[in-house]
Amino acid sequence: MVAVLCLASGTAALLPAPASAAPEPNGERVGDHGYTAQIRRTEYGIPHVLAHDYGGLGYGYGYAFAQDNLCQLADQVMTLRGERSRYLGPTETTAEGTPNLASDTYHQGLRQAGTVRRLLDRPAPLGPTPELRRMVEGYAAGYNRYLRDTGAAHLPDPTCTGKPWVGPINAMDIWNLVYDVNGASGATALKQAIATATPPTGAAGEAAPKPLRAATGAMAATAAPSVAATGAASVPERETPSISSTPSTPPMSKGPRRDDLGSNGWALGRDVTRGREGMLLANPHLAWIGGDRFYQVQLTIPGVLDVAGASIYGTPLVEIGHTRTLAWTHTTSYTDHASLYRLALAPGDPTSYLVDGRAVPMTRRTVPVTVRGADGKLSTVSSTLYTSRYGPVLAEGWTRTEAYALRDANADNLRSMNEWLAIGRAGSVAQLKQAHQTYQGIPWTYTIATDTTGTAYFNDSSAVPHVADDRLKRCALPGGGEDLPGVLDGSTSACDWGSDPDAVVPGIFGPGHQPRLTRTDYVANSNNDSTLTNPAEPLTGYPRMYRAGVPLGPRAQLGLQMIAGRHDGSDGLGAPGFTLSTLQASMLGDRNYTAELGRDDAVAMCRAHPVLTATDGTEVDVRAACDVLAAWDTRDDPDSRGAVLWKAFRTRVGGPHAWWRVPYDPAQPLTTPRGLNGDEPQVRRALADAVRKLAAGKVPLDAPIGSVQRWAGIPLPGCSGGEGCFNVVNASPTSGSGGATRPSSPDDYASGSSFIMATELTAQGPRTRTILTYGQSANPESPHYNDQTVLFSHKRWVTERFTGAEIASDPRLRTTTLRG
């Protein structure tokens, strides 16, 4: 405690002095009424924001973020205000792929309904705490100060210089952004399905063309997949899990594979670390274009708050990071965070539905949107949004006899920012648990944490619909299968969500039902369900809504094997036990697990059958391919030769039973399936097709993966989670060539490892290494647009500067003082 107080005192001395003080010798001074802050930027443009209070801290953070990413946030604000059609026309799409008119209709409808304003009017813990309100107000003011000082016509980012949609923002814009992020596993991902829902006009019983299929893809991956030069479509990873449903109703399909959906997180306890302290690996996988990017920052109020890590663009807090004695991260929870309800429509009235035998009219809201035509003239397009007692009605599946509505567990959630602020002030796993209990605001992720005592902790504290097992059995429509909650019956109030006495809001499971685990060795997750968080102590007995017992994907299997190999020293990285350097090496080992399991079998197959038949009947000589695979080291380093061929081969094989000789066995969840089934005709055809596709694209069979997977021209390591890469990357040869605010074409898209953080919580303080894979700025003209991409390509890390002395010792230090 004495050391902490001394540090706080020393840091306080760096805070801005009164206005009469001399200017900073290596910086500049700007001011605004009521706020005081200091921004100290270290190497790679990382800001360390220091303030006396929460308003000043938000002010400094908003100013720093605007310096790097004003255009991106301005674009997001335009979206959240429902003004994209006014400025850009109705047919262009958002970064996530939603047409502007549909996006505007959704957001204008939300604003008309006053949803976010009502949530803001609630006192804490349901509404924002006073400290958080001041921080958000300061953040908006800091952004506006930078815009005012610089001028829209002189912004450094050509993406928005002089654009009419760039202007001041307010606190409500930030709260709308937070609400949008919280709904990413529900309504946010279904904007188009909500905005375009209209009652049918055909004959009775006539169905919509494709019931709910479009909505499914939006839930799992709202941006279009990029197609690399290999010709293999790579599934973009989004930190937004899909709502699954039954094949016998018009449900949402599962979308992209679950093992391709998110992040890796490890909390290592004292039994597996060499120094017997807590260590953490954070490795979220999000889009590299648009508002889902991370921004690295340190936020400090001496004696009150000192937290470093990363924030989702536009949010004023650290969501993944560490304090002096606690570190935490998040991965996408495997459970669903919203429910589909099938509505039985009243006879003769497709805008009324039956509940307990009584007709209930849908609520209608007329939403006007200003639209710019091709001639530049403005007009108004009005749409009607339809809402049921469960939530918005969706476009897909609406016939004259039935429709589908979405109930989102995060529809009333602004609590998330309260919780992240509380975690940022926490010093132990116990205090993090208390934040979970108090706010219950984590929207759709698991939490993985550790502290200086070497305690490792896992919890699914996300907002999960309270559908108890007996109610799920009674209310889920037929055909859902063992691991799917299905579509719920909306015709009876007996199928409404239940609640728990320990839940802060009705309709969700409370802490007493949530899967959680505390260990002294480790907890880990790679977007698998919670069951095998640690195989030595499986998590069982939780409500079926938490989806226990789903087979691990290859990425999750590899992650658990990597931990085991480091624990016993069998991974080739030296003596047993994790150190900071071996944690870094494990993260960027770029192993391809499906290749480890099947490459030798593939070589044996093609050597036994040097000519294989492609899908169209063409005979293909695969001997050269066989030699390339045999020489490959089964890794996806940028210069690995054979990875491109394996990607093209692997993505052309259908179901798991066609690929593996030994199928999945629940009794052996870590080691099955395995063994490439070279006797299966589909597998043989896949290799022949891959060879032909690469030849047609003039891509050599032994092309290094970095030649077809790039960001702003820089070769990238990694591969998809479905291939079994822990370090997930999806990109094309031209990704990042047009900036990172909005993709100019599908091939600009990239996703995967974004903010990577390895932290060791020692008694002397945290030792942390980071990589923000795409850099601090979305501005293609910024020196911080891809400077850390170069590090990522070469497996180099940034040594974090956390203490005041470490920050001050950086020879590249630049200081900006903000004062009134």
Side-chain angles (χ1 to χ4, degrees):
M1 178 61 73
V2 173
V4 175
L5 291 175
C6 289
L7 173 61
S9 176
T11 303
L14 297 173
L15 286 170
S20 59
E24 294 293 328
N26 61 336
E28 57 178 323
R29 177 191 300 160
V30 296
D32 199 3
H33 298 294
Y35 297 109
T36 302
Q38 189 176 83
I39 304 165
R40 295 166 292 165
R41 285 191 184 264
T42 54
E43 55 193 343
Y44 300 100
I46 299 169
H48 308 257
V49 183
L50 181 66
H52 290 293
D53 54 32
Y54 286 99
L57 193 65
Y59 186 68
Y61 191 8
Y63 190 96
F65 184 81
Q67 287 178 303
D68 292 317
N69 295 297
L70 185 141
C71 288
Q72 175 58 58
L73 187 51
D75 187 272
Q76 289 175 263
V77 168
M78 175 173 55
T79 299
L80 295 164
R81 291 178 177 178
E83 296 179 342
R84 298 186 68 84
S85 298
R86 170 190 288 272
Y87 294 110
L88 305 177
T91 58
E92 186 180 310
T93 62
T94 67
E96 293 76 28
T98 305
N100 284 349
L101 182 58
S103 174
D104 291 342
T105 300
Y106 171 84
H107 285 292
Q108 288 281 10
L110 195 65
R111 292 166 73 88
Q112 278 192 29
T115 303
V116 176
R117 171 56 62 191
R118 285 198 302 274
L119 297 178
L120 286 172
D121 288 342
R122 301 187 302 183
L126 302 184
T129 64
E131 299 92 341
L132 186 58
R133 293 176 191 271
R134 292 194 294 271
M135 197 167 181
V136 170
E137 290 165 0
Y139 187 92
Y143 172 102
N144 292 339
R145 181 54 194 257
Y146 174 74
L147 177 61
R148 187 165 65 249
D149 286 349
T150 307
H154 303 288
L155 293 169
D157 187 346
T159 305
C160 71
T161 303
K163 299 295 185 183
W165 44 269
V166 177
I169 65 173
N170 55 48
M172 182 59 72
D173 292 318
I174 301 303
W175 289 119
N176 282 326
L177 187 151
V178 168
Y179 186 79
D180 200 59
V181 170
N182 288 352
S185 62
T188 297
L190 295 179
K191 294 175 184 178
Q192 186 170 354
I194 293 168
T196 60
T198 56
T201 57
E206 181 179 333
K210 289 187 178 181
L212 291 192
R213 294 295 176 183
T216 306
M219 286 296 301
T222 55
S226 64
V227 180
T230 63
S234 57
V235 181
E237 294 212 341
R238 287 270 298 168
E239 192 87 20
T240 52
S242 67
I243 288 182
S244 300
S245 160
T246 71
S248 60
T249 59
M252 298 179 179
S253 67
K254 297 191 78 171
R257 294 182 301 273
R258 287 275 185 168
D259 63 355
D260 252 349
L261 274 178
S263 312
N264 302 309
W266 293 352
L268 305 173
R270 56 184 176 269
D271 293 346
V272 298
T273 60
R274 197 86 62 80
R276 295 190 60 77
E277 68 277 291
M279 299 178 69
L280 184 109
L281 175 66
N283 177 217
H285 304 156
L286 286 177
W288 289 22
I289 286 181
D292 286 341
R293 286 163 58 103
F294 278 105
Y295 187 75
Q296 187 171 355
V297 69
Q298 181 176 2
L299 303 174
T300 305
I301 300 174
V304 176
L305 174 75
D306 197 8
V307 59
S311 308
I312 295 291
Y313 273 24
T315 61
L317 294 169
V318 170
E319 284 111 16
I320 290 177
H322 69 89
T323 65
R324 189 178 186 278
T325 54
L326 171 76
W328 81 95
T329 188
H330 300 287
T331 62
T332 303
S333 169
Y334 195 84
T335 189
D336 289 324
H337 301 89
S339 294
L340 284 177
Y341 277 91
R342 187 171 73 181
L343 308 179
L345 301 183
D349 183 2
T351 61
S352 294
Y353 56 100
L354 301 175
V355 180
D356 298 334
R358 299 179 59 184
V360 180
M362 296 175 184
T363 300
R364 307 184 191 200
R365 183 179 301 279
T366 300
V367 179
V369 172
T370 301
V371 173
R372 180 174 297 276
D375 59 0
K377 295 181 179 179
L378 299 180
S379 62
T380 300
V381 174
S382 293
S383 303
T384 301
L385 300 182
Y386 295 85
T387 305
S388 72
R389 70 198 298 265
Y390 306 107
V393 179
L394 305 180
E396 289 81 13
W398 195 347
T399 73
R400 297 194 68 83
T401 59
E402 64 185 30
Y404 293 82
L406 181 82
R407 185 173 181 187
D408 190 345
N410 288 296
D412 61 355
N413 186 6
L414 278 185
R415 307 180 304 275
S416 60
M417 293 292 107
N418 287 339
E419 186 159 342
W420 274 309
L421 180 56
I423 293 173
R425 292 192 296 236
S428 67
V429 164
Q431 291 176 353
L432 178 143
K433 290 179 183 179
Q434 185 58 52
H436 282 337
Q437 295 271 352
T438 302
Y439 297 108
Q440 299 174 32
I442 300 299
W444 39 264
T445 60
Y446 299 127
T447 300
I448 296 139
T450 188
D451 59 20
T452 48
T453 69
T455 300
Y457 178 67
F458 168 91
N459 182 255
D460 186 354
S461 63
S462 60
V464 178
H466 193 295
V467 186
D469 290 358
D470 59 343
R471 189 168 304 189
L472 185 61
K473 183 177 181 180
R474 183 176 68 250
C475 294
L477 299 176
E482 287 303 312
D483 67 325
L484 303 182
V487 176
L488 301 180
D489 184 357
S491 68
T492 170
S493 59
C495 293
D496 285 353
W497 291 352
S499 194
D500 280 337
D502 60 344
V504 296
V505 292
I508 63 173
F509 284 111
H513 273 121
Q514 294 167 353
R516 66 183 70 186
L517 183 63
T518 302
R519 301 277 301 181
T520 55
D521 51 359
Y522 72 89
V523 296
N525 185 265
S526 292
N527 306 116
N528 44 297
D529 73 69
S530 59
T531 307
L532 295 177
T533 296
N534 186 310
E537 190 177 350
L539 290 171
T540 58
Y542 295 96
R544 280 190 59 208
M545 285 296 291
Y546 286 96
R547 295 174 171 267
V550 179
L552 297 175
R555 174 163 60 91
Q557 287 181 318
L558 176 60
L560 292 172
Q561 292 193 11
M562 288 162 60
I563 293 174
R566 183 81 302 267
H567 187 197
D568 63 18
S570 62
D571 60 357
L573 295 177
F578 279 95
T579 62
L580 188 57
S581 62
T582 57
L583 181 58
Q584 294 172 253
S586 297
M587 171 65 230
L588 296 184
D590 290 319
R591 293 169 58 182
N592 186 314
Y593 191 54
T594 60
E596 292 179 11
L597 295 177
R599 188 277 307 270
D600 290 347
D601 293 326
V603 171
M605 176 188 73
C606 66
R607 283 186 170 155
H609 306 280
V611 177
L612 296 175
T613 303
T615 299
D616 65 359
T618 302
E619 291 190 341
V620 180
D621 187 332
V622 295
R623 287 176 294 180
C626 193
D627 292 340
V628 170
L629 291 177
W632 179 35
D633 61 2
T634 71
R635 295 184 183 261
D636 278 78
D637 295 322
D639 58 355
S640 291
R641 298 180 180 271
V644 171
L645 175 58
W646 187 261
K647 178 186 288 288
F649 172 39
R650 176 70 182 91
T651 53
R652 281 170 173 76
V653 177
H657 298 296
W659 177 259
W660 300 114
R661 189 178 298 277
V662 178
Y664 172 73
D665 180 354
Q668 302 178 66
L670 302 182
T671 57
T672 60
R674 63 179 182 270
L676 179 70
N677 187 1
D679 296 329
E680 169 61 46
Q682 184 183 0
V683 174
R684 296 183 183 184
R685 288 194 299 269
L687 183 57
D689 290 345
V691 170
R692 291 188 69 203
K693 187 67 177 180
L694 292 177
K698 297 183 179 180
V699 178
L701 296 176
D702 65 346
I705 190 68
S707 68
V708 300
Q709 185 168 270
R710 292 172 174 263
W711 177 258
I714 298 168
L716 300 177
C719 70
S720 71
E723 288 176 76
C725 275
F726 191 76
N727 181 22
V728 170
V729 171
N730 291 292
S732 77
T734 60
S735 295
S737 58
T741 297
R742 292 194 299 269
S744 57
S745 74
D747 282 342
D748 281 350
Y749 188 86
S751 66
S753 290
S754 44
F755 176 65
I756 308 175
M757 182 182 76
T759 299
E760 180 180 24
L761 298 171
T762 74
Q764 293 73 41
R767 298 175 59 235
T768 303
R769 307 291 182 265
T770 64
I771 311 173
L772 188 61
T773 56
Y774 36 65
Q776 286 284 86
S777 179
N779 174 12
E781 302 298 321
S782 169
H784 304 306
Y785 177 64
N786 59 13
D787 53 350
Q788 292 195 57
T789 313
V790 176
L791 297 182
F792 184 50
S793 181
H794 292 91
K795 303 189 181 187
R796 298 202 301 267
W797 299 66
V798 177
T799 298
E800 181 192 78
R801 297 177 183 272
F802 186 72
T803 68
E806 290 168 343
I807 295 166
S809 67
D810 186 350
R812 292 161 292 277
L813 180 66
R814 294 178 293 116
T815 301
T816 299
T817 300
L818 305 163
R819 62 174 57 127

